[in-house]
Amino acid sequence: MNNIRIAITGGRGRLAPGLAGFLRQGGWEAELFSREGGGGFRALVELTEPAHLAGFTAVLHLGWSSVPLVAEENPGIEEREDLPFARAMVMAAKECATPPLLVFFSTAAVYGNTGDEPATEQKPCRPLGRYAAAKLTAENIFAQAPRACVLRISNVFSPGCAKTRPQGIIPLLLESARTNRAITIWGDGRAVKDYLGASDLHSATAAVLRHGLCGTFNVASGHSLSVNGLIRLVEQASGHRVPVSHAPHYVWDVVKGIFSSQRLRSAARWSPQVDLTQAIKDMVAAAR
């Protein structure tokens, strides 16, 4: 893998550092970028300059200014901060003699509610909220790049997920079981979602890079579970009850997310390995 350089945006986020570490362990050269730069991170603006962009084999674009709740509370944040950067990077890629592969980390929430059949990449997208709608707009921007891959990712979890962020329910449930402090659930807990282990996201990304894939691919475990079912798994693994309070359901929050990753499995010879039940047991054991 000599002379293969990977740029990864979102360096101060929750996913990019772990992905960079995984790729480096596999022999890739990976550099982290952040909006401001400094502190060991390169400045994001460099990736809008063809001379800098041309030095990379691929760019993994994880950087994003919002999560779903923040997007609803701060309307237009993506139009101000994220979409202009996406357009600038795509324009820079068009000016490179050998353009890098631009890999955009989107969200499976672009489909909206999927119904009972797993959503494939051919399913029409009907995003419910501002966050997913902005991601879909960015997908269309990246589709104009000379070489681009869009990854529609389900709900990623890992032992390192922060407990205080408004996304990532699993670490919040574990903390609730440990402290006996109530966790607030949006709606009645029957919302069904796909939970993808971070290590599976890492291996999927590496497979995309190895095969130089272009196009759109779902990245999901293929096994969806209700929030109530997730609570039961945490209670069984921890031996403690998870106290729950309920808040009204947000209209922009997906209540049924079932996805097929068969296209990526076939194209990249990839398959998820993380078992959710065992992963939760491992996270409980690590916390102890």
Side-chain angles (χ1 to χ4, degrees):
M1 296 185 184
N2 293 335
N3 300 319
I4 296 179
R5 300 178 65 221
I6 311 298
I8 306 177
T9 70
R12 289 185 169 91
R14 71 184 184 106
L15 295 179
L19 178 56
F22 175 84
L23 294 176
R24 288 165 181 161
Q25 288 177 359
W28 305 82
E29 182 182 344
E31 296 188 35
L32 286 167
F33 286 73
S34 186
R35 202 173 300 273
E36 293 82 15
F41 300 98
R42 293 179 63 174
L44 204 58
V45 69
E46 292 184 39
L47 297 177
T48 65
E49 300 169 3
H52 289 292
L53 191 62
F56 292 97
T57 309
V59 178
L60 307 181
H61 185 37
L62 286 80
W64 202 253
S65 62
S66 70
V67 294
L69 182 59
V70 171
E72 298 299 324
E73 294 176 338
N74 191 355
I77 185 173
E78 298 92 353
E79 286 78 5
R80 294 190 298 271
E81 299 188 17
D82 299 300
L83 301 182
F85 170 77
R87 293 187 183 96
M89 184 160 62
V90 168
M91 288 297 294
K94 290 180 178 180
E95 296 183 30
C96 295
T98 304
L101 174 65
L102 304 184
V103 183
F104 176 57
F105 285 60
S106 186
T107 171
V110 295
Y111 296 111
N113 289 314
T114 63
D116 295 326
E117 292 297 318
T120 68
E121 293 80 0
Q122 286 71 45
K123 182 178 176 63
C125 293
R126 297 186 175 92
L128 301 179
R130 298 176 186 275
Y131 173 85
K135 286 279 191 175
L136 184 59
T137 299
E139 287 188 15
N140 294 329
I141 293 170
F142 278 97
Q144 300 169 30
R147 299 174 62 226
C149 179
V150 170
L151 302 181
R152 291 175 174 167
I153 301 162
S154 67
N155 299 278
V156 180
F157 71 92
S158 73
C161 288
K163 304 182 183 72
T164 56
R165 298 198 176 194
Q167 67 176 141
I169 190 173
I170 291 177
L172 296 175
L173 290 175
L174 292 170
E175 182 70 3
S176 178
R178 187 183 70 83
T179 62
N180 199 39
R181 287 199 295 267
I183 181 173
T184 300
I185 301 297
W186 302 336
D188 58 12
R190 289 187 289 181
V192 173
K193 308 201 176 187
D194 183 286
Y195 297 95
L196 178 73
S199 60
D200 284 334
L201 175 61
H202 298 166
S203 64
T205 304
V208 166
L209 293 173
R210 283 195 301 270
H211 288 83
L213 295 183
C214 294
T216 299
F217 300 88
N218 293 339
V219 188
S221 71
H223 300 285
S224 296
L225 185 69
S226 72
V227 175
N228 289 333
L230 194 59
I231 291 171
R232 287 193 290 272
L233 286 184
V234 171
E235 290 178 335
Q236 292 166 3
S238 66
H240 296 286
R241 188 178 72 88
V242 175
V244 172
S245 63
H246 292 271
H249 172 256
Y250 288 110
V251 296
W252 49 261
D253 187 38
V254 172
V255 295
K256 182 161 283 189
I258 303 174
F259 313 105
S260 169
S261 293
Q262 187 56 50
R263 184 167 190 245
L264 182 60
R265 289 171 181 249
S266 299
R269 300 175 186 173
W270 168 85
S271 62
Q273 302 298 313
V274 176
D275 176 79
L276 179 60
T277 301
Q278 186 59 51
I280 289 175
K281 290 179 180 178
D282 293 342
M283 292 166 76
V284 168
R288 289 172 178 163

